Amino acid sequence: QVQLVESGGGLVQPGGSLRLSCAASGFTFSIYAMSWYRQAPGKERELVAAIPTYGGAGSAEYADSVKGRFTISRDNAKNTTYLQMNGLKPEDTATYYCHASHRYFKDYWGKGSPVTVSS
């Protein structure tokens, strides 16, 4: 059974940090590109960060709104991808979703981890 399980979300003050984790199981994690999306109330889901299968330095891509503050990474040995979020702002408040994609196979979504940035 395929699972993507996000963790690490919660309530944080502006300027604070959180690290989201996404634990994958049931598929060959290392051959999938991984990404994080977010969806704020009343808004469309948007791509936050993406990392290819090999996850090399400089290979990640970011939305302009999070560049320099967020870092995506992956550990293929642990079947896990991470999103380190620093300098959080109220506008980062959203539910964050983990996504696994492959050019030839079905893609997968996690159920989401809520993040609230508020004082």
Side-chain angles (χ1 to χ4, degrees), residues 53-115:
T53 55
Y54 54 90
S59 63
E61 296 183 350
Y62 299 92
D64 287 343
S65 58
V66 306
K67 280 181 182 177
R69 299 188 297 123
F70 290 12
T71 302
I72 188 172
S73 61
R74 65 188 297 161
D75 186 337
N76 287 346
K78 294 182 178 180
N79 289 354
T80 301
T81 190
Y82 305 96
L83 185 67
Q84 178 66 44
M85 306 185 292
N86 299 328
L88 283 160
K89 305 175 181 180
E91 51 263 43
D92 295 318
T93 295
T95 296
Y96 285 71
Y97 297 90
C98 180
H99 180 242
S101 62
H102 189 283
R103 183 175 180 180
Y104 298 113
F105 304 132
K106 180 182 178 180
D107 63 344
Y108 304 110
W109 288 93
K111 293 183 178 181
S113 180
V115 171

